[in-house]
Amino acid sequence: MKLNTPRWWYVRGSNHARITRTILKPASWIWAGVTARRIARTVPVDPGCAVISVGNLTVGGSGKTPVARETLRLLRAAGVEAQALSRGYGGKEAGPLRVDPARHTAEDVGDEPLMLALDSPAWIARDRLAGASAAVAQGAAVLVLDDAHQNPTLKKTLSLVVVDAETRGEEWPFGDGGVFPSGPMREPLKSGLARADAVILLLPTDVTEVDPELAAVFGDLPRFTARLTPAGPPPAGAQVGFAGIAKPWKVERSLLAAGCELADFVPFPDHAAYSEDDLAFLADRAALFDAGLVTTEKDWVRLPPGWRDKVVSWPVAARFDDEAGFQAFLTQNI
């Protein structure tokens, strides 16, 4: 069973969550220890091409897949044969397999690889080395790994860490710094940043500067700012929105900020597989408000084919404030 992301993970100094955090601390120590041991004991393998890792330090919700997609686009625009490689989380295929959007579904390969394959060659493989070998055999000069900062299998040329840089009141990208399950961190902040070559800060479209306290966390690491920019306006008229991503509340905020007439919003767990009961519930909510249904592109690709005509996909893309500078950073370091 998939669970919703706890909002209290991202709140600093939360009194009501303090007891929960304390109870979960021992499990966090085990998680952090296992991760550190795996990274320390694994000898990375050179797959025969440059490898760019696009990962994060928290459990979901940072925007790493849109950044990986944009990284691929910029590399290919520069004439580099860049291909994506993902574990294929949520899909039943083990790979190595090149993703074909015309043939595969999210149930086969996972929702994120399916999105990456819309623009660039994309592979899924539970065994990253086997996937890398298959991609290189098909001409990949650069592999862009989606969600691999804590995976040490392949020797990385560049490690990019994506951070959701939105801060609101006591909400903080790293919460109180607790490691899962007592907080959102996959590993301690210092450990994760020690393996990073650059940080990508995803800012809301209405924010012009990075919070100074957050910027100070990254020290001298190269930093680039990007924003999740809608491909177009949301659908007209009343809408019931829904999303099964790590931070569904951000989709609700974004729809409202874009001027959507949002009658209701329904959150689901990350990577939710929508059942007929879920979809019937959403249809009933839409009928109640005489509204349409709108969701993210990531959620839309997980819908059964018969439902896609009933739901509007509202895609967003990561766009860098200094696109030329980020593209140059990539090409000069691979």
Side-chain angles (χ1 to χ4, degrees):
M1 181 178 67
K2 295 178 179 178
L3 302 175
N4 289 310
T5 301
R7 287 290 296 270
W8 56 262
W9 270 358
Y10 297 96
V11 179
R12 293 188 292 179
S14 170
N15 289 325
H16 76 273
R18 198 160 288 154
I19 294 176
T20 304
R21 285 193 174 108
T22 301
I23 293 171
L24 294 174
K25 277 293 182 186
S28 298
W29 297 332
I30 294 171
W31 178 282
V34 169
T35 299
R37 190 176 303 114
R38 184 181 70 249
I39 292 171
R41 292 183 176 180
T42 302
V43 178
V45 177
D46 185 346
C49 72
V51 174
I52 299 176
S53 167
V54 179
N56 63 5
L57 304 178
T58 56
V59 182
S62 69
K64 64 186 178 301
T65 299
V67 169
R69 193 173 179 180
E70 181 68 357
T71 299
L72 285 158
R73 186 186 74 83
L74 292 174
L75 286 169
R76 294 181 70 81
V80 178
E81 182 51 43
Q83 301 187 16
L85 176 60
S86 170
R87 180 178 176 273
Y89 179 81
K92 62 186 180 184
E93 296 286 352
L97 178 70
R98 180 164 171 173
V99 179
D100 181 355
R103 183 165 60 92
H104 295 126
T105 66
E107 189 176 288
D108 297 325
V109 298
D111 48 16
E112 292 164 345
L114 203 57
M115 290 172 58
L116 294 172
L118 294 174
D119 305 313
S120 306
W123 297 77
I124 58 110
R126 304 286 165 81
D127 181 333
R128 298 259 187 174
L129 180 56
S133 299
V136 170
Q138 293 294 314
V142 176
L143 285 174
V144 175
L145 309 184
D146 183 25
D147 194 12
H149 193 61
Q150 288 76 30
N151 188 308
T153 306
L154 300 179
K155 184 177 181 180
K156 295 163 185 172
T157 312
L158 278 177
S159 288
L160 309 178
V161 167
V162 183
V163 175
D164 174 6
E166 182 176 10
T167 58
R168 288 173 178 262
E170 289 303 309
E171 284 189 23
W172 186 248
F174 310 120
D176 274 346
V179 174
F180 178 88
S182 74
M185 304 299 293
R186 297 184 180 208
E187 58 180 317
L189 179 62
K190 184 177 180 180
S191 301
L193 290 179
R195 301 192 313 279
D197 296 301
V199 176
I200 313 300
L201 300 174
L202 274 183
L203 291 171
T205 54
D206 60 346
V207 173
T208 57
E209 295 183 357
V210 178
D211 181 287
E213 184 184 358
L214 180 61
V217 168
F218 308 111
D220 295 330
L221 276 173
R223 297 198 309 269
F224 298 92
T225 53
R227 299 158 199 278
L228 293 181
T229 305
Q239 301 293 322
V240 170
F242 66 96
I245 64 171
K247 298 177 183 175
W249 61 87
K250 294 196 69 174
V251 177
E252 182 179 12
R253 286 178 187 166
S254 297
L255 283 165
L256 290 170
C260 182
E261 187 185 333
L262 205 58
D264 194 15
F265 187 85
V266 183
F268 288 89
D270 196 13
H271 299 282
Y274 294 107
S275 67
E276 285 298 325
D277 286 345
D278 292 332
L279 296 167
F281 171 77
L282 290 169
D284 287 344
R285 296 299 291 172
L288 177 65
F289 293 106
D290 191 23
L293 287 167
V294 61
T295 193
T296 69
E297 185 179 26
K298 180 178 173 180
D299 287 279
W300 190 87
V301 300
R302 294 200 307 275
L303 295 174
W307 277 88
R308 291 179 183 173
D309 289 339
K310 304 174 186 178
V311 179
V312 174
S313 170
W314 192 56
V316 296
R319 294 290 183 257
F320 283 84
D321 291 347
D322 181 10
E323 182 178 292
F326 180 64
Q327 186 181 50
F329 176 80
L330 294 173
T331 57
Q332 290 167 8
N333 286 282
I334 57 175

